[in-house]
Every structure is written in C-alpha cells, then in structure tokens.
Amino acid sequence: MDIITLETIWKRLIAVVDEGAAALVRTSFSTVVRDSYDFSVIITDRRGNSLVQASDSLPSFIGTLPRTVRSFLQKFPEETLVECDILITNDMFAGTGHLPDITVVRPLFYQGVLIGFAASTAHAPDIGGKIRSPEPREIFEEGLQIPLMKLAEAGVINQTLMAILRKNVRVPELVEGDLMAQLNTLALIDARINEVLGEYGLYNLEDFSMQVRARSEAAMRKAISELPDGTYRAELSTDGLTDQPIRLEVAVIVSGDCLHVDYTGSSPQVHKAINCAMNYTYSMTAYALKCILAPEIPNNDGFIAPIEVTAPEGSIVNPVFPASGGSRVLIGHFLPTLVFQALGEIVPEHIIAGSGSPIWCLNLASIDASGRPLTNLFFFNGGMGASAKRNGLDVMSWPGNISSTPSEVIEATAPLRVLEKSISRDSGGAGLFHGGRGQRIRFAYTGKPGAVVSFLSERTKIGAPGLSGGSAGAVGGLWINGKPIDPKAQHQIETGDVIDVLTPGGGGYGRAHAKAGEACGHRHILEI
C-alpha cells in the first residue's frame, strides 16, 4: 500500500469512528454520554489490535478497549462468530476497571469474511448496587456483573439478558437507551467499513493494520531512543480513605527504544472501591507516555508496543478478585502525573504540573414525583496544571476527557437548583506559568422525599503539585449546609439542603516572575 493511499484510508477510518461517536452522542439517553462524553469508539483488526479511535474518546480507553476485544476472542474464537453478533461485558478485570462501563463489540465482515471488530465502551447512568462511591468493600456490592457473553446472535437480541439488566438498574430506560445507542453506532461503523473497502478495492484490513501499527511503533521507538537510558523514580500520596492515605510509587526504566514502567512500592489493595484494575493502570500509563513522546500519532496499538507496565498483584494498581473498583479513577487518574514527575528531569518541556481534576462528580439517587427511582451523576472539573509554555486551563478535565455538566442539564434532569457556578479565585498554583483555576458550584436539593448523594473527589487534603519551583494548586472541598463532609462517604439530604462543591486548582510551573506589578494569578475576567 503506497503512503498516499495509506494516509487516505487512515483518515477515512478515523472519520468513520468519529461519525460513530457523533451518532452515539446524538442518540444516547443519559447525560453521562450526551453531555459529559464518557465513552470510546474504536475499530480493530481481526486479532483485536486497535487501528483507529474516535477523537472524542476518553484517553483511559486507549489501552482498555483493545484488551477487552482480545479477551472476547479468547472466549469466542473467530469460527464461533457470525455477522450481526454482538458481544457484551462490564467485567472489571477484562474491561475498564469498573462495572458502570459497558463494552459492546461487533464483528465486522466483508464479503462473508471476518476482517475486524467495531467496539464501544460507554459509562451507563446506573448499574445497580450501591450508589457509586468509594464505600463498597467488594465487587458484589457494586452492581450487576455481565460476564463476557453474546448480547445478540446473528442480530437476535438476548431478551433474557435485557430483562435482567432492566430489573437490576434504577433507570432502565436510560441504561437501555444508551446501550441501544452503542449498538446503533457499531452498525453504522459496519456499513461504513464495507463502503471504504469497496471503494478502495480491499478485501480485508490486514495490510492496513500492519503498516499503520508498524509506522506508529517506529515513531514511538524513535522518540524513546532519544531519551537517556536510566531508571527514573517518583512517588506521591493521595487523599486516600478517611483514615488511610494511599502511596503510589513508580520506576520508569528507559532501555534503548523500550520502556518498562513498574509500580512496585505502591500501597496494597484496600477494602474500598478505589482499587485500580491492571487494564486501567496500563492504559493511563500508556496515555501519559504518549503525551510526552508521540502526541501527534493517531491512537492505535502500534505506539503501545514498546511499553511494558507491571505492578505487584494485590497492590492498589493491580488488585485481585473480588476487589471493588467503582471509584478507580481516584487512583488511576494520578498515574499520568506520577509518570510525568518521574520523567520531569529529562523532559521538563513536555510535561505539565499536577492537575486539580483527577475527577470530580456528584452522584444522586432518589425517587421522582411519580414514585419511580431516579439517579444521575454530574461532572465538575478542576484546574489543569501549567506547563513550561503556558498557563494551566481553567475548569478542564485532565487526564480524562470529561466535560463539566451544564447547569441547564442538571436542573432539567435532577431535583437540583444551581444557585452558583463561578470560577474559584486564586485557586491555581503560582509560578512562571500559573495553574488553572477550579470552580465553585452550589446546589439546593428541591426533591421530595430526601435523596442519597455521594461524590468522587480528590485533592481535598493534598493540592496538585507544582513543577520546577511552581506552587501547588489550592485544595478542593465539599460541604452540606455549610458543614464539611467526608468526601468518601454517602450522605442523606432533605428538601432545601444546600451542597457546596469546590474543585481544586492546578499546580504552577516555574518560579514566579520577580517583576514588580506582574501578577502570578489569573485576571478574574469571567464569573458565571
């Protein structure tokens, strides 16, 4: 395949998954997918190697979704698959690390021959079990577990599975609606792939897969080889649990054109739902390295080939069954910052300071006016870390790709009234370049009867670290009726109760200017 044809087909396939992602957003029922973009869409070859990923996909799914496809292939070899089959799972260890992420996979056939797979992961608005929080002690408390299985055989949906799913979730219409949107996306990709192959006279994706992955791998190996060999270490502590801080350690070993990242020394797994499954650990690590070394390469399995990631079994970053992991982002989203800190001494111009938004969200469960269960979750971002070239962005998710939920959507879909939404002044860490600012959101609960709320929040004790002399960002906080609350616990609220959410700021980069009159902080242009 000549280089021009290769590039043209590559761009076409990226356009195909981007169209699929747009269809998913437009046809989904929940705010989680429609407004916060918590999903991913990819195409793989027939062996499960990722070829292209939708541009709006979450970074964390770069590594998890292809691994899930390969797990399916171990259970369902090629000869057991037919056109219009649909595979499904939310397995914590074969999937993304927590049960709300439902993955569906459709085998792609061209002229009767299997050529690859279309796959999608999307965060369901509910999966049963306890309302999402760090509280569950084991995975059985976290909701419905769907093993690696077929949702559809030759286009016929397994209605027994659908009935079980509907029975076990609080909002079956939203959960089923999002799942059908995923299936629609995969069908669209199937049709588009057949069009592309027909247009270019191809019979499969084998040559394309080989060349795309080989070129991406070569570019990644070249970037790695330019780093000085050695072992680079870093460590950090998270807020952890109420009475148990969590320690993360990493050693990044550069050897020629290969990288080995090892998390030996990190805390052991805990009896709370913050354990980070190995698939997620691997994916967040690969994402961090790609940001440093090859940010312009479209996502595929080629760039991951030179990277090995290890962690001791039973550790917080490689837990074993039946560990719970529903809030695994409270660990996993620290890993890119940890890798950045390790490599900061050799690539300071390619990293950013700590961000104030590992992830922040509010989960609410109640009963609506008609007596039916109601549940939803809303995301709120903190400030992004500064870099050697620019200030950190305000209210920006990193290392995720989650959008803050708009106030209008919150008020339209939940018994919450938004009383205030404003930029948190001076929350970004000072420096030559200052960290991005977080936000303050104030809600009043308007529903009857009461509700249960929980939060995913971090950096309420330890601020996002600065780099190269920059200051740490301000910590975040949570209050109900003016009183500080435990961010890792569930809380009962009643009509009229007021919730305050303050997201953290990002760390600053470099020492602040000594010039008189030159401010390190932001100018307060926007207050909503």
Side-chain angles (χ1 to χ4, degrees):
M1 189 178 293
D2 66 87
I3 185 64
I4 295 176
T5 302
L6 177 68
E7 180 73 11
T8 302
I9 295 176
W10 199 347
K11 296 296 186 185
R12 282 288 299 276
L13 292 189
I14 292 173
V16 167
V17 288
D18 282 348
E19 183 184 3
L24 177 56
V25 170
R26 288 176 175 269
T27 58
S28 62
F29 281 47
S30 77
T31 63
V32 186
V33 174
R34 186 180 66 241
D35 297 292
S36 296
Y37 285 65
D38 195 343
F39 69 87
S40 183
V41 180
I42 68 168
I43 296 172
T44 78
D45 64 18
R46 55 194 288 266
R47 288 174 295 278
N49 297 306
S50 176
L51 303 180
V52 289
Q53 181 186 40
S55 304
D56 288 331
S57 295
L58 288 189
S60 58
F61 297 147
I62 290 173
T64 62
L65 194 43
R67 285 186 159 206
T68 307
V69 174
R70 292 192 286 272
S71 293
F72 276 122
L73 277 170
Q74 291 176 9
K75 184 166 184 180
F76 299 100
E78 289 185 27
E79 61 271 16
T80 67
L81 301 173
V82 299
E83 294 189 51
C84 299
D85 277 357
I86 300 292
L87 309 175
I88 185 171
T89 192
N90 68 343
D91 184 274
M92 171 177 166
F93 298 96
T96 71
H98 73 169
L99 300 185
D101 285 340
I102 297 177
T103 297
V104 287
V105 177
R106 179 179 176 125
L108 302 174
F109 287 81
Y110 184 67
Q111 297 183 356
V113 177
L114 180 69
I115 60 167
F117 297 90
S120 170
T121 297
H123 191 300
D126 187 57
I127 201 64
K130 280 190 172 183
I131 181 175
R132 188 183 178 201
S133 78
E135 286 196 340
R137 297 179 59 83
E138 57 183 10
I139 194 170
F140 303 109
E141 301 176 40
E142 297 192 289
L144 178 67
Q145 297 182 64
I146 306 172
L148 282 77
M149 62 180 296
K150 287 189 178 183
L151 171 61
E153 295 196 51
V156 179
I157 297 289
N158 182 337
Q159 293 301 332
T160 300
L161 174 59
M162 293 304 301
I164 293 171
L165 179 62
R166 286 191 292 266
K167 188 68 174 177
N168 279 273
V169 298
R170 297 174 179 87
V171 283
E173 295 88 355
L174 299 185
V175 173
E176 185 175 4
D178 280 6
L179 181 56
M180 292 302 111
Q182 286 181 270
L183 301 192
N184 175 64
T185 293
L186 301 188
L188 174 63
I189 291 173
D190 193 343
R192 294 291 185 265
I193 282 288
N194 274 261
E195 291 173 7
V196 171
L197 293 184
E199 182 177 340
Y200 286 92
L202 303 176
Y203 294 97
N204 55 53
L205 294 171
E206 295 305 297
D207 189 30
F208 173 79
S209 172
M210 180 184 67
Q211 291 200 46
V212 162
R213 290 185 293 112
R215 288 176 180 274
S216 299
E217 180 179 344
M220 190 67 169
R221 289 191 183 278
K222 181 177 183 297
I224 294 171
S225 67
E226 293 172 357
L227 301 176
D229 283 0
T231 300
Y232 305 93
R233 301 181 184 274
E235 59 186 53
L236 59 78
S237 294
T238 75
D239 291 352
L241 305 172
T242 305
D243 56 353
Q244 185 179 357
I246 299 298
R247 180 182 180 85
L248 299 173
E249 292 190 24
V250 72
V252 181
I253 303 161
V254 182
S255 178
D257 62 358
C258 296
L259 279 172
H260 177 202
V261 182
D262 181 52
Y263 288 98
T264 297
S266 298
S267 293
Q269 70 183 66
V270 296
H271 294 296
K272 292 289 184 180
I274 62 172
N275 299 293
C276 183
M278 190 62 200
N279 267 7
Y280 200 81
T281 295
Y282 175 86
S283 188
M284 295 308 292
T285 303
Y287 168 63
L289 294 170
K290 187 174 188 296
C291 286
I292 294 171
L293 298 169
E296 300 303 324
I297 299 175
N299 292 330
N300 63 77
D301 269 1
F303 87 85
I304 297 177
I307 301 170
E308 180 186 8
V309 181
T310 55
E313 273 200 354
S315 67
I316 194 78
V317 288
N318 188 13
V320 296
F321 182 84
S324 52
S327 303
R328 49 79 165 108
V329 292
L330 300 182
I331 296 297
H333 279 199
F334 281 95
L335 301 184
T337 295
L338 186 62
V339 171
F340 279 11
Q341 289 180 354
L343 295 179
E345 63 180 278
I346 57 173
V347 286
E349 70 281 5
H350 293 303
I351 62 175
I352 63 172
S355 290
S357 199
I359 195 169
W360 275 64
C361 75
L362 179 152
N363 304 268
L364 180 144
S366 184
I367 304 294
D368 67 17
S370 66
R372 302 174 68 186
L374 176 152
T375 187
N376 218 324
L377 66 155
F378 307 110
F379 294 93
F380 312 104
N381 296 324
M384 196 168 170
S387 71
K389 299 177 181 178
R390 59 181 63 89
N391 300 325
L393 299 174
D394 293 337
V395 192
M396 182 63 65
S397 172
W398 197 89
N401 194 30
I402 298 292
S403 299
S404 290
T405 310
S407 300
E408 297 83 356
V409 171
I410 294 171
E411 293 185 338
T413 58
L416 293 170
R417 180 178 298 120
V418 179
L419 304 178
E420 176 187 354
K421 192 175 186 184
S422 60
I423 299 295
S424 176
R425 294 175 180 269
D426 302 320
S427 57
L432 178 64
F433 294 101
H434 45 68
R437 295 175 294 178
Q439 61 181 316
R440 178 183 294 276
I441 313 100
R442 172 171 287 186
F443 308 95
Y445 177 66
T446 60
K448 294 180 182 180
V452 175
V453 293
S454 66
F455 304 88
L456 296 187
S457 62
E458 262 290 345
R459 300 206 187 281
T460 61
K461 300 175 184 177
I462 305 170
L467 280 176
S468 301
S471 299
V475 297
L478 294 162
W479 298 262
I480 295 179
N481 295 329
K483 296 180 180 180
I485 61 171
D486 181 353
K488 300 297 194 297
Q490 296 182 2
H491 303 274
Q492 179 73 32
I493 58 173
E494 305 297 336
T495 305
D497 284 351
V498 175
I499 302 169
D500 282 287
V501 177
L502 178 66
T503 64
Y509 191 105
R511 299 192 180 280
H513 287 300
K515 248 187 233 180
E518 184 161 6
C520 305
H522 292 262
R523 294 182 61 190
H524 309 306
I525 298 171
L526 177 63
E527 292 246 348
I528 303 172

